[in-house]
Amino acid sequence: MACFFRRRIATKLGKTLQQPDDLFIPALSAVPVFRKQEGADMRLSINVLRTNGVLPTSGEIQQQTEHLAYQLKQDSVVEEISVGSAVINFKIHRKLLAKQILESFGTGHHGKIELNSELFNSLNKGTTLVEYSSPNIAKKFHAGHLRSTIIGNFIANLKQSLGNKVIRMNYLGDWGMQFGLLGVGFGQFGSQAQLKENPLQHLFEVYVKVNKEAERNEDTMLAARDFFRRLERHESQAVLLWQQFRDITVSEYRQIYERLGIRFDVYSGESFHQEGVKEVLCQLENQGLLKTTEMGTRIVELPAEVQSNICTILRSDGTSLYITRDVAAAIDRREKYHFDEMIYVTDKSQANHFQQLFQILRQMGHSWADRCHHIPFGLVQGMKTRSGEVVFLEDILSESRARMLLNMKQSKMTKEMDNAEDTAEKVGISALIVQDFKGPLQRDYKFDWDKVLQAQGDTGVFLQYTHARLSSLIRKNDDIDASTFDPALLTEQSGISVLQHLLRYDEVLYHSAQDLQPKHLLNFLLKLGHLTASAHRDLPVKGSPQQVAQARMRLFSGARSVLAHGMQILGIIPVDKM
Ligand code: ARG
């Protein structure tokens, strides 16, 4: 990470220009590595420095840049200073570059990284509540839920690694008319044995059947309404059945999320907020925000900027809606968890819903609504398994595991191993994640198993393969003690390129924290993979003099630590063999 050098160069600039050092921190960045060419390590962007609002011409900027560069002298950190277009480039003494970076990543074998960088100081710490995944009981778990699950997990991991306290919440669709139908349907088509055997599948089947039935038969619909009414009145028989459906669903999901390496601190749900809804209605009423329409529904009027600026809060039969429960849920979360910010992760079709939600909260006087954010993502087309359309999360995981296992068996690269299934599962999941995180989250994309699982190119398989290779290198050389090393022995360009790239890690995380898009970190890791692959080719460990071998091992374990660290933030569990 570049923090040491950023501070040193800022101090140098501060002294020369008689200005506070901190002024220069945001304008200093690591230089991106291009084609392994010898180049500068850090640069100062003069454009970023201009804060007084007067726009100078590019000629003036260039003059200023050259003048400043002329005033700066080399020192024990900076070996060379050069001028580019509106930037000043700094080349750091090679030995110091290697020493500082590799020492900041711990002592070689299994070094865990300590993340601290001045860049993170300006980020809000505090408590972040991230709500993600949030499937609906008895309904399909579709590609959108999968995206919410992995994106939310990434955001939670990122925030946590930057020092926030994070609450991971799953908000189940566990209330509403679907339970009326399910209650009635279970009486007709349900079986306790099948519910135990294969709960999610069985609930879904019952739900599909009863829906068909209700379309044909009005009595079923009436019975369903009646069941839901009994549920809302907390009649014990209805509640018991509902509770069973919920418990069994949560325990199934828990296990599947575990396969993904995902956990939640709280399984909340729409059902938790029935009392809260009543309170919200009272408050809205007292604040004069609730209007009654001719049809007898109750609404809140929102300012014209909000798309669809009439928001229905209560149906004419007195039942609450999705949005009503969300208002109550948000207020409840704020009271319970005192979050500083709250993030909702759903597909972009719900963007309007969340804008309405935040606006209602604001109108009720909750200024913290400004710190609630919706992170929208695009649609995935064509996510299918061999047996057809995706209905359950488990299907996707099993399909990717099966396909990966087959690829591994056919591949020459794969080694014999004891836990091939487990590895195939982890690698398959990484492939799904990488495919999903490559572009901007808002973009829709077409799903294609063959593309997802490719070993070459920028895929999850490639990332895992890089990690496994580095791990194997470290295993094979475990007699080399890299806890001390001579940084002067890392002078070849392929090694320097890896180091230069590692310099960028804190910036990449900082950048990710700004817009919560995973692509910055993913692209950084993919490039790290390519750079270490060349370094691995150019810089053999076996057969090199002991001190050289030692220094190279230190380089590779540094690269591996950062790779593993970044993969884990993305939600990928690194494998050591494949
Ligand atoms: N269960 C909802 C669905 O599947 C997503 C819930 C999103 N979160 C929220 N607070 N509304 O569409």
Side-chain angles (χ1 to χ4, degrees):
M1 298 198 290
C3 25
F4 173 85
F5 300 114
R6 202 181 291 109
R7 176 52 63 182
R8 282 307 193 81
I9 297 173
T11 307
K12 182 183 182 67
L13 287 158
K15 272 209 193 93
T16 310
L17 294 179
Q18 307 276 302
Q19 302 250 30
D21 306 357
D22 285 349
L23 189 70
F24 302 99
I25 293 282
L28 281 163
S29 56
V31 179
V33 178
F34 279 115
R35 298 177 182 284
K36 285 203 292 158
Q37 266 162 19
E38 165 79 42
D41 309 295
M42 300 285 298
R43 70 181 170 204
L44 178 77
S45 302
I46 304 295
N47 286 334
V48 181
L49 278 184
R50 311 283 321 185
T51 48
N52 58 4
V54 196
L55 279 184
T57 65
S58 56
E60 280 166 351
I61 291 182
Q62 202 54 28
Q63 225 175 9
Q64 194 190 0
T65 307
E66 273 162 31
H67 180 65
L68 176 53
Y70 176 76
Q71 290 173 282
L72 295 169
K73 300 276 171 294
Q74 295 139 328
D75 59 19
S76 58
V77 176
V78 176
E79 171 181 284
E80 219 174 275
I81 298 164
S82 62
V83 174
S85 147
V87 294
I88 299 178
N89 297 312
F90 302 91
K91 183 176 167 193
I92 292 162
H93 284 287
R94 287 306 176 235
K95 195 173 148 183
L96 190 63
L97 182 73
K99 180 174 148 55
Q100 272 304 325
I101 296 177
L102 294 176
E103 282 181 353
S104 76
F105 293 135
T107 55
H109 288 209
H110 297 287
K112 278 227 157 50
I113 20 188
E114 282 278 325
L115 261 196
N116 42 27
S117 164
E118 278 180 288
L119 281 184
F120 305 154
N121 294 350
S122 66
L123 298 172
N124 289 325
K125 298 281 158 30
T127 303
T128 305
L129 194 155
V130 191
E131 188 223 278
Y132 56 107
S133 200
S134 308
N136 305 316
I137 293 181
K139 294 194 187 169
K140 265 195 334 193
F141 186 102
H142 49 70
H145 291 121
L146 177 62
R147 285 205 87 181
S148 171
T149 308
I150 61 181
I151 295 167
N153 184 49
F154 156 72
I155 293 173
N157 293 342
L158 176 70
K159 290 276 175 183
Q160 202 160 18
S161 72
L162 294 172
N164 294 59
K165 173 165 188 265
V166 173
I167 296 158
R168 297 158 186 263
M169 181 180 278
N170 197 330
Y171 180 68
L172 297 175
D174 62 357
W175 204 245
M177 256 308 283
Q178 86 222 49
F179 286 92
L181 283 160
L182 207 57
V184 172
F186 200 75
Q188 287 182 17
F189 313 108
S191 119
Q192 282 291 342
Q194 284 186 52
L195 188 64
K196 296 255 148 56
E197 182 73 21
N198 202 341
L200 300 186
Q201 170 120 18
H202 187 55
L203 282 179
F204 180 69
E205 280 163 7
V206 170
Y207 185 63
V208 171
K209 280 189 194 151
V210 70
N211 262 299
K212 277 214 187 93
E213 184 67 24
E215 271 169 34
R216 275 201 309 256
N217 185 345
E218 184 144 355
D219 288 347
T220 307
M221 204 57 213
L222 289 177
R225 286 227 177 86
D226 186 54
F227 190 96
F228 186 55
R229 218 169 293 133
R230 289 196 322 217
L231 199 53
E232 290 225 288
R233 271 193 248 116
H234 299 120
E235 285 184 25
S236 64
Q237 253 191 328
V239 172
L240 271 173
L241 194 61
W242 169 84
Q243 189 71 47
Q244 195 194 4
F245 294 160
R246 190 184 196 278
D247 291 348
I248 231 163
T249 302
V250 169
S251 86
E252 279 295 290
Y253 268 117
R254 246 189 242 281
Q255 290 172 34
I256 308 169
Y257 288 131
E258 196 157 306
R259 287 173 63 182
L260 281 165
I262 286 176
R263 57 168 192 84
F264 291 91
D265 300 309
V266 191
Y267 280 86
S268 76
E270 296 181 40
S271 69
F272 285 38
H273 302 291
Q274 298 159 57
E275 287 309 307
V277 160
K278 289 182 199 147
E279 213 148 286
V280 166
L281 290 167
C282 260
Q283 274 174 32
L284 285 169
E285 185 93 82
N286 291 341
Q287 292 174 306
L289 294 167
L290 211 54
K291 308 253 150 68
T292 309
T293 64
E294 279 173 15
M295 282 111 64
T297 57
R298 318 283 324 259
I299 57 157
V300 173
E301 283 173 340
L302 305 175
E305 310 91 81
V306 182
Q307 240 184 42
S308 53
N309 56 344
I310 302 267
C311 183
T312 307
I313 292 289
L314 212 58
R315 293 199 188 86
S316 54
D317 65 359
T319 53
S320 64
L321 292 91
Y322 182 49
I323 183 103
T324 328
R325 297 190 280 275
D326 254 329
V327 176
I331 295 171
D332 178 56
R333 292 174 194 177
R334 170 75 184 175
E335 282 166 4
K336 266 209 188 90
Y337 304 107
H338 310 284
F339 59 77
D340 297 289
E341 61 175 345
M342 171 152 66
I343 295 169
Y344 296 89
V345 188
T346 77
D347 72 71
K348 59 190 179 191
S349 73
Q350 296 201 35
N352 204 16
H353 167 81
F354 286 104
Q355 291 331 304
Q356 291 186 331
L357 169 62
F358 303 155
Q359 185 54 35
I360 293 174
L361 290 168
R362 261 179 235 122
Q363 282 179 210
M364 292 177 80
H366 297 299
S367 58
W368 48 262
D370 291 336
R371 283 174 279 131
C372 293
H373 307 284
H374 174 227
I375 300 295
F377 54 80
L379 304 174
V380 184
Q381 288 129 4
M383 189 181 275
K384 291 208 174 60
T385 65
R386 277 183 236 258
S387 47
E389 213 198 334
V390 168
V391 178
F392 305 110
L393 174 55
E394 209 172 354
D395 297 342
I396 310 171
L397 301 187
S398 306
E399 181 87 11
S400 84
R401 181 177 60 194
R403 285 177 183 263
M404 195 57 224
L405 204 55
L406 195 71
N407 287 4
M408 280 164 48
K409 285 202 177 115
Q410 288 167 350
S411 150
K412 288 182 274 334
M413 301 187 313
T414 307
K415 316 243 163 42
E416 280 296 312
M417 62 180 123
D418 326 323
N419 50 353
E421 290 244 331
D422 185 50
T423 304
E425 170 138 317
K426 294 205 169 84
V427 178
I429 291 167
S430 347
L432 290 170
I433 293 176
V434 167
Q435 152 92 358
D436 200 86
F437 285 1
K438 251 191 224 164
L441 293 177
Q442 291 256 24
R443 192 195 288 158
D444 303 338
Y445 71 88
K446 257 209 159 61
F447 189 86
D448 176 349
W449 281 110
D450 291 330
K451 246 172 68 187
V452 169
L453 295 173
Q454 268 171 12
Q456 259 85 44
D458 288 343
T459 64
V461 183
F462 167 71
L463 268 193
Q464 286 287 18
Y465 183 66
T466 307
H467 185 268
R469 262 186 95 191
L470 287 171
S471 302
S472 135
L473 182 74
I474 291 167
R475 266 196 313 275
K476 279 190 203 136
N477 294 290
D478 64 353
D479 53 323
I480 298 177
D481 173 19
S483 58
T484 56
F485 70 108
D486 180 0
L489 297 172
L490 292 170
T491 48
E492 294 87 352
Q493 190 49 40
S494 17
I496 299 286
S497 294
V498 172
L499 292 170
Q500 289 178 318
H501 190 61
L502 292 178
L503 263 183
R504 294 191 54 216
Y505 193 47
D506 59 343
E507 276 169 43
V508 169
L509 294 176
Y510 178 74
H511 199 160
S512 310
Q514 310 289 307
D515 63 5
L516 302 181
Q517 296 281 327
K519 63 175 181 175
H520 314 296
L521 178 55
L522 175 59
N523 290 327
F524 170 85
L525 296 177
L526 289 166
K527 184 151 185 182
L528 180 59
H530 294 299
L531 291 171
T532 32
S534 332
H536 201 168
R537 228 176 291 127
D538 297 350
L539 309 174
V541 174
K542 274 257 139 35
S544 299
Q546 200 212 332
Q547 295 225 313
V548 174
Q550 212 172 31
R552 289 179 180 176
M553 282 314 291
R554 184 65 181 242
L555 174 73
F556 290 122
S557 50
R560 186 185 66 150
S561 298
V562 175
L563 186 64
H565 190 267
M567 285 165 82
Q568 274 155 352
I569 292 179
L570 291 178
I572 297 174
I573 306 167
V575 301
D576 289 334
K577 277 185 195 168
M578 72 176 274

